[in-house]
Amino acid sequence: MTNFPVINLEKLNGEERNDTMEKIKDACENWGFFELVNHGIPHDLLDTVERLTKEHYRKCMEERFKEFMASKGLDAVQTEVKDMDWESTFHLRHLPESNISEIPDLIDEYRKVMKDFALRLEKLAEQLLDLLCENLGLEKGYLKKAFYGSRGPTFGTKVANYPPCPNPDLVKGLRPHTDAGGIVLLFQDDKVSGLQLLKDGQWVDVPPMRHSIVVNIGDQLEVITNGKYRSVEHRVIAQTDGTRMSIASFYNPGSDAVIYPAPELLEKEAEEKSQLYPKFVFEDYMKLYAKLKFQAKEPRFEAFKASNFGPIATV
């Protein structure tokens, strides 16, 4: 199997731009994931985010996690657990409005650093969406506009830690799923591995790399690209040693954004593709996803095909 795709964003500014764009295109079409280096987010900021995240877990969440898992009996299971994950999490919302000031137990430095980090990730996500537009032959800004809704996009972060697990064969860190939203930017632990994606029927490790950002395609981009780019099933394998940090930021459509395949892509592919993806309101998709997250994505798409929106007009 070919190596996991690693994209050096600095090369977009030189003679290797075309090759770099081709690598991004190939990663979106054939992997649904890629890893970014030289992405413009300062390494010292990433180091601070990592330090404060791990300190917060140790001080405020580790003991609670152990007590919770013990109360559920997950630290001594004998059979495979299919309805829970071995993870400790909290969530931050950045757009349309931030809730960072409302999250308990965060020290002021951590709040300030995460606000700065989120702003930089937001810009990087929008830069990536425009690169995808370029590769798809869509007008610059099309994907951002498609996500916009009445109040702009939604953008939030899931901060997770995956502590050592005594029975990793019986309890997943995070069960297999695709991501519901648009584009996901992940800052992950560079020492403790665990993230895997499904490619050609095999689970493949997403390699931990220091100061990299892992990017993956969500369900909404699969719909908008009419399946040219696809969301990919992935999971987290719990480890017996070491706590894995995972900070995943989700740049998603606004709750009332109407999502459908880009008409320009339908026109280009009309002769090749008979099956069209549905048209739906993002919030409605998320309600269904909440019930079916750990099941195949195809029935979620099928559920909206009989919606009231009717056929999608081409330009």
Side-chain angles (χ1 to χ4, degrees):
M1 185 175 289
T2 53
N3 291 334
F4 186 87
V6 177
I7 310 295
N8 183 348
L9 273 194
E10 275 189 344
K11 292 188 176 180
L12 288 173
N13 301 319
E15 295 178 358
E16 296 181 64
R17 177 181 171 81
N18 289 344
D19 287 345
T20 303
M21 290 297 290
E22 188 60 35
K23 285 180 181 177
I24 294 172
K25 179 174 177 284
D26 180 74
C28 291
E29 289 180 353
N30 297 308
W31 288 80
F33 270 77
F34 53 92
E35 201 151 3
L36 292 179
V37 296
N38 295 319
H39 40 65
I41 299 177
H43 289 181
D44 59 348
L45 175 60
L46 294 175
D47 289 339
T48 303
V49 169
E50 180 174 358
R51 174 178 61 81
L52 292 173
T53 298
K54 291 181 174 180
E55 285 177 3
H56 176 263
Y57 173 72
R58 285 193 298 269
K59 291 178 181 176
C60 302
M61 301 184 74
E62 185 172 25
E63 200 56 41
R64 256 181 278 169
F65 175 81
K66 289 177 180 177
E67 291 172 0
F68 177 77
M69 288 306 186
S71 73
K72 296 292 183 181
L74 288 190
D75 54 348
V77 292
Q78 303 294 318
T79 56
E80 185 177 1
V81 176
K82 297 183 178 180
D83 60 351
M84 290 188 70
D85 302 303
W86 192 267
E87 64 172 357
S88 171
T89 67
F90 67 93
H91 295 80
L92 302 173
R93 185 178 66 245
H94 313 300
L95 295 174
E97 65 278 316
S98 173
N99 73 343
I100 290 182
S101 63
E102 302 163 19
I103 304 297
D105 302 328
L106 302 185
I107 63 172
D108 288 343
E109 181 189 10
Y110 194 20
R111 294 183 205 274
K112 182 179 178 183
V113 164
M114 290 304 283
K115 280 186 179 180
D116 183 17
F117 186 41
L119 282 172
R120 294 171 186 271
L121 286 171
E122 180 188 344
K123 290 178 182 177
L124 179 58
E126 291 175 352
Q127 177 190 359
L128 289 169
L129 288 177
D130 278 342
L131 294 175
L132 300 194
C133 284
E134 186 177 336
N135 272 337
L136 289 163
L138 295 172
E139 181 184 0
K140 183 178 181 180
Y142 180 92
L143 291 173
K144 181 180 177 181
K145 185 178 178 182
F147 283 17
Y148 215 71
S150 62
R151 301 178 64 202
T154 53
F155 185 45
T157 297
K158 174 187 172 183
V159 181
N161 282 275
Y162 298 90
C165 178
N167 298 295
D169 293 336
L170 300 178
V171 187
K172 292 287 184 295
L174 183 59
R175 288 161 285 165
H177 64 286
T178 64
D179 288 327
I183 191 167
V184 186
L185 285 73
L186 168 69
F187 176 40
Q188 67 168 344
D189 206 291
D190 67 317
K191 296 181 179 64
V192 183
S193 62
L195 178 61
Q196 296 181 329
L197 64 90
L198 191 63
K199 179 167 171 57
D200 302 327
Q202 294 184 319
W203 289 105
V204 178
D205 290 330
V206 177
M209 287 178 60
R210 187 160 173 76
H211 297 139
S212 71
I213 299 291
V214 177
V215 178
N216 70 283
I217 301 294
D219 293 350
Q220 306 311 302
L221 279 180
E222 177 168 339
V223 173
I224 294 171
T225 66
N226 200 36
K228 192 172 181 66
Y229 297 166
R230 291 180 181 270
S231 59
V232 169
E233 200 172 351
H234 52 284
R235 68 183 184 181
V236 176
I237 297 298
Q239 307 291 335
T240 53
D241 297 309
T243 296
R244 175 179 176 266
M245 178 198 74
S246 165
I247 303 175
S249 296
F250 301 82
Y251 189 99
N252 291 345
S255 59
D256 62 349
V258 179
I259 302 300
Y260 53 91
E264 191 172 341
L265 295 181
L266 289 185
E267 188 177 62
K268 287 178 181 177
E269 299 175 1
E271 295 179 6
E272 301 172 27
K273 290 195 176 184
S274 57
Q275 174 151 3
L276 303 181
Y277 283 77
K279 184 176 186 179
F280 51 79
V281 176
F282 179 61
E283 186 176 34
D284 293 339
Y285 187 86
M286 289 305 294
K287 288 175 182 175
L288 183 63
Y289 180 84
K291 301 173 188 173
L292 305 174
K293 175 177 178 176
F294 297 108
Q295 299 179 30
K297 63 187 173 183
E298 288 77 13
R300 300 197 292 264
F301 295 146
E302 291 295 328
F304 284 102
K305 284 199 171 179
S307 70
N308 297 324
F309 281 108
I312 299 158
T314 56
V315 290

